């Protein structure tokens, strides 16, 4: 019967892994038709506009069909894989969608099954119903249409994506990435107290459940560095190569254009002597309380910026055009621009203002390592308030950084070089760098921006101010 078939064959839809993202590209399938899968097993890796994310399947069964090939961009809410949760119970196949009524103008072999007009649309993760054209590629000939889901199947799908639960079941509500996180940390979701909307378990809930555990976490194999996208084939003698704009590059371009032409940017510069800061870095590296932590100039620059924001809190704000309000932030989510194989991303350290120096060092180390491995989650890149970009690692003196959308300021750090400098009335070789602060002139005037930049420079020239000013 149709209802029994719909319950036997589960359609796993592309979830919204980034709170509002509308599509994702399937980078790699880890399973093939006929493979057995278990609840929580990663079946594919997808790339959104923000990051690469592994998707775990939320139930046991056998892979019946992969709906799309690797490299296909799929809309959120579109079925990407079919799982037979009751293999061996019969030869039934997933219920077929309503037949397409052809017109003389249509060519049957060229009409994708997805273009059939749905007779009943069910709620999906973004909007209501699946768009008529759900991918950027034409479906392969002979690809079966995505079946309409019976009410029971729709309820199962809602539960799978963390937005509902099947009647009579007590399965905890959580999105696939959160389920994978819990599995990696060895946390039983049934023991986690949910704080999300409608009782959905969030990443923060899982981390909170894992925090009290005294036993050390299991040692996991270090993931390989994220591979760079394969370059477009070069034709011998060609003078140009065209590369598709997608993924992180597409999102970065849109964000930078939007920021540059929305927020009036002002950039100020200051050159300073950081010799004392460099000496403090060396001392901290030898400090037993900092053993095993990443200690470098960026750590103290980040701490200096946090102190400067505490002294000038009005700089930590956002412009709300719709409400015609300036939103003053009483917390600092410190963004760190990171160059990755997939492009520039800006993950942030949540509540950086509350962290001690060792805690800040640990958070910076984890942020950088995760970014290099290509495992930064979309949630880690949301909610930033101010950002640091360290162009000095490339030997560049400084730059005019563009604001991260929704933020009021960004600090660019130049290369630290040994240069002649007047110190105590004499010219001596000193460690010198140049800082650049870009800010949104709608809510940060020249006086406020200058004070913030001057405070950062003063702290780095005399690091003892980290104590006296904090």
């Amino acid at each position: 019967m149709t209802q029994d078939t719909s319950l036997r064959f589960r359609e796993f839809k592309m979830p919204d892994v980034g709170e509002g993202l509308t599509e994702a590209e399937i980078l790699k399938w880890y399973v093939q038709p006929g493979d057995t899968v278990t609840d929580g097993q990663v079946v594919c890796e997808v790339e959104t506009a923000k990051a690469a994310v592994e998707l775990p399947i939320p139930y046991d069964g056998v892979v019946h069909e992969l709906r799309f090939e690797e490299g296909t961009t799929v809309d959120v809410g579109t079925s990407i894989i079919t799982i037979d949760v009751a293999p061996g119970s019969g030869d039934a196949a997933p219920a077929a969608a309503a037949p397409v009524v052809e017109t003389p103008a249509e060519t049957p072999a060229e009409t994708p099954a997805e273009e059939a007009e749905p007779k009943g649309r069910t709620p999906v993760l973004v909007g209501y119903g699946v768009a008529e054209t759900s991918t950027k590629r034409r479906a392969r000939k002979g690809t079966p249409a995505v079946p309409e889901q019976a009410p029971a199947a729709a309820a199962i799908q809602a539960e799978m994506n963390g937005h509902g639960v099947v009647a009579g079941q007590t399965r905890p509500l959580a999105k696939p990435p959160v389920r994978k996180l819990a599995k990696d940390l060895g946390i039983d979701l049934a023991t986690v107290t949910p704080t999300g909307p409608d009782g959905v378990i969030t990443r923060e809930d899982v981390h909170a459940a894992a925090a009290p555990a005294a036993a050390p976490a299991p040692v996991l194999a270090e993931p390989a560095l994220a591979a760079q996208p394969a370059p477009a084939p070069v034709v011998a003698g060609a003078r140009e190569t065209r590369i598709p704009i997608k993924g992180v590059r597409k999102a970065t371009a849109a964000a930078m254009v939007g920021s540059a032409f929305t927020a009036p940017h002002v950039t100020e510069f200051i050159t300073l002597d950081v010799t004392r800061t460099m000496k403090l870095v060396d001392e901290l590296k030898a400090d037993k309380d900092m053993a095993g932590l990443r200690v470098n100039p960026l750590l103290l620059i980040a701490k200096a910026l946090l102190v400067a924001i505490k002294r000038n809190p009005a700089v930590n704000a956002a412009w709300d055009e719709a409400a015609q309000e300036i939103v003053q932030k009483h917390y600092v989510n410190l963004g760190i621009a990171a160059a990755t194989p997939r492009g520039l991303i800006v993950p942030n350290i949540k509540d950086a203002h509350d962290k001690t120096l060792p805690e800040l060092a640990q958070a910076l180390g984890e942020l950088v390592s995760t970014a290099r491995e290509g495992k930064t989650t979309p949630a880690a890149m949301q909610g930033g308030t101010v950002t640091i970009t360290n162009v000095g690692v490339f030997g560049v003196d400084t730059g005019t950084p563009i604001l991260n959308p929704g933020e009021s300021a960004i600090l660019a750090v130049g290369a630290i070089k040994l240069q002649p400098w007047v110190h105590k009335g004499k010219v001596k070789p000193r460690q010198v760098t140049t800082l650049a602060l870009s800010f949104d002139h709608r809510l940060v005037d020249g006086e406020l921006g200058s004070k913030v930049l001057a405070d950062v420079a003063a702290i780095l020239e005399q690091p003892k101010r980290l104590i006296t000013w904090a």
Side-chain angles (χ1 to χ4, degrees), residues 184-187 209-219:
D184 291 343
L185 296 178
I187 300 298
V219 178

Side-chain angles (χ1 to χ4, degrees), residues 279-298:
K279 290 181 179 179
L280 179 57
V281 169
D282 291 337
E283 292 173 2
L284 289 174
K285 287 180 178 179
D287 193 316
K288 63 179 182 180
D289 291 331
M290 302 295 286
L293 298 175
R294 180 186 295 269
V295 178
N296 54 24
L298 180 61

